């Protein structure tokens, strides 16, 4: 998904840029595709949530949770997420 498609989404909150440490973590774990497969609001929520942390330990904990959830594929912010089934 390109930046352009995210910018033209219906997000009501400001679009958060991806910090370099998040990008590096996604790339090093091979999870960028899983991240980009999430809806724009979820990607934006993850980035906002991680960046709002005041302490480095909290940012790392939140980043780890996001990475674990992306790897599992069935969670979003500790909530069960079922994959959408596209109808024909």
């Amino acid at each position: 998904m390109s930046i352009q498609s995210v910018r033209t989404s219906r997000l009501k909150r400001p679009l958060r840029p991806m910090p370099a440490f998040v990008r590096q973590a996604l790339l090093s774990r091979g999870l960028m595709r899983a991240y980009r497969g999430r809806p724009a609001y979820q990607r934006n929520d993850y980035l906002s949530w991680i960046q709002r942390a005041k302490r480095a330990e909290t940012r790392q904990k939140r980043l780890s949770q996001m990475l674990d959830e992306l790897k599992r594929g069935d969670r979003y912010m500790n909530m069960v997420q079922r994959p959408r089934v596209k109808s024909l």
Side-chain angles (χ1 to χ4, degrees), residues 4-84:
Q4 183 63 26
S5 62
V6 172
R7 287 188 181 151
T8 59
S9 74
R10 296 178 301 194
L11 288 176
K12 295 189 184 338
R13 288 173 280 204
L15 179 64
R16 297 284 180 169
M18 183 183 290
F21 74 95
V22 173
R23 181 179 309 282
Q24 183 59 40
L26 289 168
L27 291 172
S28 69
R29 289 169 180 79
L31 292 171
M32 186 63 81
R33 184 181 197 121
Y35 175 81
R36 289 186 175 150
R38 295 289 177 111
Y41 78 91
Q42 287 185 9
R43 295 190 310 266
N44 206 43
D45 284 352
Y46 272 133
L47 295 178
S48 178
W49 179 59
I50 291 168
Q51 291 174 320
R52 281 194 320 265
K54 293 183 173 106
R55 297 177 31 194
E57 297 85 13
T58 306
R59 276 191 298 279
Q60 185 57 49
K61 180 181 173 186
R62 291 177 181 185
L63 175 63
S64 294
Q65 179 181 326
M66 180 190 78
L67 295 170
D68 290 343
E69 290 177 358
L70 290 171
K71 185 175 180 181
R72 286 183 59 171
D74 67 345
R75 300 265 183 243
Y76 165 66
M77 299 288 195
N78 269 336
M79 297 179 286
V80 174
Q81 174 188 325
R82 294 186 181 94
R84 287 201 293 182

